[in-house]
Amino acid sequence: MTENLKREEARRRAKLLSLDGYTIDLDVSEATSKATTFGVVSRIELKAAERGDTFLDFIGADVSSVKIDDAVVPFTFDGARVTVEIPEGHHAVEVAGRGIYSTTGEGLHRFRDPVDGQTYLYTQFEPADARRVYPNFEQPDLKATFTISITAPAAWVVLSNGEATGTGAAGANSRGEELTRTQFATTKRMSTYLTAFIGGPYHAFADSTEVDGQEVKLGFYCRTSLKDHFDLQDISTVTKQGLALLPQVFDYPYVWGKYDSVFVPEYNLGAMENPGCVTFSEDAYIFRGQSTRSQRASRANTILHEMSHMWFGDLVTPVWWDDLWLKESFAEFMGAWSMVAATQYTEAWENFAGARVAWALRNDQYPTTHPIVADVVDLEAADQVFDGITYAKGAAVLRQLVAWVGEKEFFAGAALLFKDRAFSNATLDDLLGALETTSGKDVRGWARHWLETAGVSSVTIERGPHGVTLRQVGVDPAGAPITRPHHLNVSGWRLDGDRLVRTGATDVELTDAVVVDWDEIGADADLILPNDHALSYLKISFDERSLAAALAHELDEPLAQCVVSSALWEMVRDGLLPAVGYADFTARSAQGTSSGLLAARTLNSVSALRAYTKADVREAELESFFDAAVTNIAGDPDTRLIWSRAAARAGQSLPSRADAVVRLLENTDDQDLRWAYLAALAATGTVSQDELDSELARTGTAADVVAHMYATASMPGTAADTLAKVLAGGLSNDHVQALIDGLRQPLRAAEKTAALGDYFGQLTEIWSTRSQEIAERIIYGLYPMTDLGEATSPQEHPDVVAAGQWLDANPEAPGALRKVILDCRDEHLRMLRAQAA
């Protein structure tokens, strides 16, 4: 099979072909039965520049026929490509085949609800899984219109990108269920990965809003068993606010007709921007029990992120995945910007600075880091640039760009790009040209520093008699000094009571070094903050006095709080601040700390105490944090919930606190929190299988099944059986992840290692026999992150050595697989260095 499309192959095919439109007939009439395949016919109107062999992409069970202009023609099919000769000129190419239902969240995913036994279908295609459902030319620059029809059980809700234009009876299936064929309106020109096919007894909520004087129908959908938990008021409000804002900001109308939001199970992503039919993860955004404001704000961010894709990504699409940032960085930025501009969740940049930037910094410090404008040679590489660099670093850099060129000029450039490239594709050069036109600035020079280089720099702080010297320090992956231009807001803070208050601030431009006069930020400041307002992307190296103040006292401004908290976390990861120091700082978090920041701090603290402390003191330090978490379960609902979750996470490593966890379990009726406590008891061996089974029998939803699997896999003595289930295959993506998470329990480390045996000897087989999505989950999840132990240095640790030997012995292994091992080894070394320190 030739699944891994190369960039050069895509370029050659784009020179040969131009597309007009697809007509897709999908037949899922047997989806409710045990059938593993579905029927599909794909007809493509196209023009070939010359006669020649080319291929359509289709990862399916079989291809029964290929026709050109209704005449049957010879073809070959290798399981991933349908190769056929196409004459020069205009033609209609029709391919009939059978696709395979997915349980991995790729292609056409089929889910059976354990509550009511109903079957639900949805698709997820980015970056290149439309070919798992219908034959096509799977590359973003071969855009076309799509006319879609779906044959399915008549009782189902059936959705696609366009609005349904008619239905007709289509007989009955093998189960005697009546069928209908639903026809959808032809779409505007778009890329294959943006098509959507939804089917099942989804519960529908209907609404509408006026956009540019026209009514846009809004549909909101979820599984019937979750309808009572669906927060229609908040979700619909944010959707309407976004549709009122973005056409005005972009000076370009919303062009995709209706706007459906479908919340689906076992989703691999947070959401996907299919025009007119956006899909969301129900696990992430439908809250069965308690939720914090930060969780609801995260949902609002995602709604607006996906909505901004209707322009950045759907209307104007990157030519190839090198320029993925042209849509994802912009959508990440616009999600936060729009929240502040249009919704009640005005703390968006606080949440971004307190959590999302950490994702970017982690990815940007791996040996496999890449520029924001990445070099993506094939589809396997494309799958791996959906990362913190493309999303969060890109958004942080755009925030810097907006601060530099001006917000008005930035949005005028975006509007110019939309007008010039609507329903087509764009490159970096197209964007830079538009921004230079509207701003009059050397945006290309800025791009060379920010978009075309990798790595992260730090700003150091040196106090002097007349002011503060800030210096940019750091090298890129090639060892060259980083000299990016930073537009910074530098501030001074002084202790006032128990809080640090701002005494002054000024804007500066930093490339190498800059001196800030004391008069501008306040003489004798207790803390100097060189990236106030989170305007740029860099790490902060605090001077000794600033560090002491940051650890001892909260700042009285939320965004500055988040910047400081993020900087302290980076110091922990760099081995410059002990994990216990950060955990103590977290435990002292002041009342009123935002739920987003508090959640990030508690999650980081448990992770740090588990990984970055020596084994002989780890339990005592986790016990101290657990006790502080239990003490802090007070105050407002968000604070109580966050500290309850923190206690459950810490309790997974503490048999000594099992009795306290039992008391917490007895005092909550929130089902998700109950499972968190039960998982902690399972990990410490203080709950029985019968008790876990009884809890599942009492509830039994899909989320409860996953939580039960996780808790069971966390129990002592289960590692060998759990590992066998993971490696046997056939499980859904959520179930695989639950079992892996159970295997990764800290108290199961030795048991997992014994059951796994030679991890590195199994890598090639795991990678080659599974989809990339599942293979990555297994390989990341099972990587041996073992403690320092008797090794004299991190570099001499046996598992670090074994990883290096595998990399040396397998230079021809797929680049995506090598990236996983390189990043895991780097994370392991970081952990071991912190333990050694």
Side-chain angles (χ1 to χ4, degrees):
M1 291 173 64
T2 47
E3 292 186 23
N4 190 21
L5 178 67
K6 308 291 185 182
R7 179 176 55 199
E8 287 307 313
E9 292 178 305
R11 286 174 176 171
R12 289 195 297 270
R13 193 163 61 176
K15 289 180 179 179
L16 175 67
L17 302 175
S18 58
L19 307 188
D20 293 323
Y22 285 81
T23 301
I24 310 295
D25 287 300
L26 180 70
D27 185 351
V28 292
S29 56
E30 293 294 332
T32 58
S33 72
K34 294 182 179 180
T36 58
T37 63
F38 55 86
V40 65
V41 177
S42 180
R43 185 179 178 90
I44 311 164
E45 304 285 341
L46 55 77
K47 179 183 178 181
E50 59 184 34
R51 174 182 290 274
D53 285 345
T54 190
F55 59 91
L56 293 87
D57 303 290
F58 182 54
I59 301 175
D62 62 69
V63 172
S64 57
S65 71
V66 176
K67 298 178 181 178
I68 296 180
D69 301 329
D70 297 321
V72 175
V73 298
F75 68 92
T76 61
F77 177 55
D78 67 358
R81 294 183 178 184
V82 182
T83 301
V84 63
E85 183 183 63
I86 300 178
E88 180 181 354
H90 291 273
H91 301 283
V93 178
E94 182 179 291
V95 182
R98 298 199 65 79
I100 304 169
Y101 289 111
S102 165
T103 59
T104 63
E106 304 151 296
L108 182 58
H109 186 93
R110 179 168 60 177
F111 173 83
R112 303 208 194 271
D113 191 327
V115 173
D116 56 21
Q118 296 285 354
T119 299
Y120 292 85
L121 303 179
Y122 66 86
T123 52
Q124 167 50 35
F125 290 159
E126 192 171 32
D129 285 321
R131 57 190 174 149
R132 296 183 185 275
V133 175
Y134 62 92
N136 64 65
F137 298 103
E138 187 82 285
Q139 56 192 81
D141 58 339
L142 286 179
K143 284 189 166 185
T145 62
F146 290 83
T147 305
I148 292 168
S149 64
I150 301 175
T151 301
W156 279 14
V157 169
V158 179
L159 304 170
S160 188
N161 305 89
E163 191 165 358
T165 57
T167 60
N173 63 15
S174 63
R175 292 164 53 89
E177 297 168 324
E178 292 186 3
L179 304 172
T180 56
R181 181 177 182 270
T182 303
Q183 183 73 45
F184 297 93
T186 300
T187 70
K188 305 286 189 180
R189 291 182 67 84
M190 63 186 191
S191 303
T192 52
Y193 75 90
L194 295 170
T195 50
F197 305 80
I198 308 291
Y202 288 90
H203 185 83
F205 301 92
D207 205 343
S208 67
T209 190
E210 186 175 292
V211 180
D212 293 331
Q214 295 185 342
E215 182 187 47
V216 174
K217 295 179 181 178
L218 306 179
F220 302 94
Y221 301 86
C222 68
R223 288 189 294 123
T224 302
S225 58
L226 291 176
K227 64 182 176 65
D228 293 338
H229 304 290
F230 195 84
D231 188 358
L232 178 63
Q233 177 63 36
D234 191 50
I235 293 170
S236 181
T237 296
V238 172
T239 302
K240 292 176 182 178
Q241 289 168 331
L243 285 171
L245 173 71
L246 293 180
Q248 303 304 316
V249 170
F250 293 145
D251 192 26
Y252 200 97
Y254 174 72
V255 296
W256 304 104
K258 67 181 175 67
Y259 199 97
D260 289 336
S261 299
V262 190
F263 291 73
V264 299
E266 297 186 328
Y267 209 38
N268 287 333
L269 307 177
M272 179 62 200
E273 68 268 18
N274 317 304
C277 192
V278 182
T279 41
F280 296 87
S281 165
E282 65 175 37
D283 290 338
Y285 301 122
I286 297 179
F287 311 122
R288 300 188 306 161
Q290 303 172 72
S291 65
T292 64
R293 177 179 172 87
S294 68
Q295 287 177 285
R296 297 187 294 277
S298 176
R299 180 175 63 198
N301 185 296
T302 300
I303 291 170
L304 295 169
H305 173 119
E306 303 308 326
M307 189 178 293
S308 72
H309 274 311
M310 301 298 135
W311 291 266
F312 281 115
D314 297 0
L315 180 67
V316 178
T317 309
V319 172
W320 179 249
W321 302 105
D322 314 72
D323 281 326
L324 175 65
W325 77 280
L326 272 173
K327 69 187 195 74
E328 295 303 347
S329 297
F330 281 83
E332 181 89 358
F333 172 83
M334 287 305 304
W337 187 91
S338 301
M339 286 173 69
V340 175
T343 78
Q344 63 164 308
Y345 301 108
T346 55
E347 68 271 31
W349 289 118
E350 298 163 28
N351 295 340
F352 182 82
R356 299 292 281 182
V357 170
W359 178 33
L361 291 170
R362 183 173 68 248
N363 282 197
D364 208 9
Q365 295 174 87
Y366 284 148
T368 59
T369 185
H370 58 83
I372 295 173
V373 179
D375 180 25
V376 178
V377 298
D378 55 33
L379 288 180
E380 285 189 358
D383 194 67
Q384 293 189 318
V385 293
F386 289 81
D387 61 8
I389 296 172
T390 299
Y391 283 73
K393 180 181 178 180
V397 167
L398 286 176
R399 186 162 164 80
Q400 173 75 177
L401 175 63
V402 172
W404 180 55
V405 303
E407 192 171 276
K408 178 181 177 182
E409 291 76 9
F410 173 79
F411 285 118
L416 182 59
L417 180 70
F418 298 143
K419 291 179 176 66
D420 287 348
R421 308 300 299 167
F423 305 110
S424 184
N425 299 83
T427 64
L428 169 63
D429 192 64
D430 295 322
L431 173 70
L432 298 181
L435 289 174
E436 286 190 341
T437 297
T438 58
S439 72
K441 292 194 173 185
D442 179 19
V443 182
R444 285 182 170 84
W446 174 89
R448 283 192 294 273
H449 287 290
W450 277 109
L451 302 180
E452 298 173 16
T453 63
V456 59
S457 59
S458 297
V459 56
T460 64
I461 302 166
E462 302 168 20
R463 295 174 185 252
H466 304 294
V468 177
T469 300
L470 305 179
R471 300 185 191 277
Q472 178 173 206
V473 298
V475 295
D476 65 21
I482 295 176
T483 57
R484 295 184 184 125
H486 295 269
H487 178 86
L488 300 175
N489 183 268
V490 183
S491 57
W493 301 73
R494 185 176 298 156
L495 187 63
D496 183 1
D498 64 347
R499 291 273 183 148
L500 291 162
V501 298
R502 189 184 282 109
T503 55
T506 187
D507 289 338
V508 302
E509 304 296 329
L510 172 66
T511 300
D512 297 315
V514 65
V515 177
V516 182
D517 194 281
W518 282 120
D519 291 341
E520 295 181 298
I521 61 172
D524 200 32
D526 290 308
L527 182 144
I528 298 162
L529 184 58
N531 190 25
D532 207 345
H533 305 304
L535 292 181
S536 195
Y537 171 81
L538 75 176
K539 294 164 65 173
I540 298 172
S541 181
F542 287 118
D543 64 291
E544 188 173 338
R545 183 174 173 183
S546 294
L547 176 60
L551 286 170
H553 305 285
E554 294 278 19
L555 284 71
D556 74 345
E557 199 278 325
L559 182 52
Q561 254 187 340
C562 293
V563 173
V564 168
S565 191
S566 178
L568 294 177
W569 174 237
E570 288 306 311
M571 292 182 68
V572 175
R573 285 181 48 78
D574 290 342
L576 302 174
L577 175 64
V580 66
Y582 183 89
D584 289 345
F585 157 77
T586 298
R588 295 193 304 272
S589 295
Q591 287 291 326
T593 300
S594 71
S595 62
L597 181 56
L598 184 59
R601 286 179 178 178
T602 57
L603 185 64
N604 289 342
S605 293
V606 176
S607 298
L609 292 174
R610 283 177 170 181
Y612 297 157
T613 57
K614 288 184 177 179
D616 57 352
V617 299
R618 185 177 302 147
E619 184 174 3
E621 292 180 357
L622 277 165
E623 286 175 340
S624 177
F625 186 77
F626 176 91
D627 294 342
V630 173
T631 300
N632 288 339
I633 299 175
D636 64 86
D638 278 13
T639 300
R640 292 198 302 270
L641 182 55
I642 290 166
W643 282 112
S644 296
R645 290 169 175 170
R649 283 193 294 271
Q652 293 173 358
S653 302
L654 299 172
S656 63
R657 296 300 187 266
D659 289 345
V661 174
V662 169
R663 289 193 292 273
L664 291 169
L665 173 64
E666 291 171 345
N667 288 320
T668 185
D669 58 3
D670 181 276
Q671 192 56 51
D672 292 334
L673 196 53
R674 285 184 62 80
W675 278 117
Y677 291 139
L678 286 167
L681 295 172
T684 57
T686 47
V687 71
S688 69
Q689 185 67 59
D690 286 345
E691 290 172 285
L692 296 179
D693 293 346
S694 295
E695 187 77 13
L696 178 62
R698 189 176 63 82
T699 54
T701 70
D704 296 312
V705 170
V706 172
H708 176 268
M709 293 182 74
Y710 169 49
T712 298
S714 300
M715 298 177 74
T718 61
D721 181 59
T722 299
L723 182 63
K725 291 177 181 176
V726 169
L727 297 179
L731 296 175
S732 74
N733 47 349
D734 274 10
H735 291 181
V736 168
Q737 193 63 55
L739 296 178
I740 288 174
D741 289 345
L743 283 167
R744 294 175 67 183
Q745 287 285 7
L747 296 178
R748 301 283 80 74
E751 188 183 338
K752 183 198 80 171
T753 299
L756 184 58
D758 182 10
Y759 167 86
F760 294 100
Q762 301 176 65
L763 292 178
T764 301
E765 191 272 338
I766 292 172
W767 187 266
S768 62
T769 57
R770 292 162 176 83
S771 71
Q772 187 169 346
E773 174 70 29
I774 296 299
E776 286 186 7
R777 288 181 188 232
I778 295 172
I779 293 170
Y780 273 118
L782 298 182
Y783 190 93
M785 293 284 181
T786 42
D787 285 328
L788 187 61
E790 301 300 320
T792 57
S793 72
Q795 291 287 355
E796 296 174 357
H797 187 283
D799 288 323
V800 172
V801 172
Q805 290 173 339
W806 185 88
L807 289 164
D808 290 342
N810 294 274
E812 302 303 319
L817 172 57
R818 286 181 58 84
K819 180 185 186 303
V820 173
I821 302 305
L822 283 163
D823 290 350
C824 286
R825 182 180 65 167
D826 187 76
E827 197 69 45
H828 193 198
L829 281 167
R830 184 180 291 270
M831 170 185 133
L832 296 175
R833 285 193 293 266
Q835 292 180 7

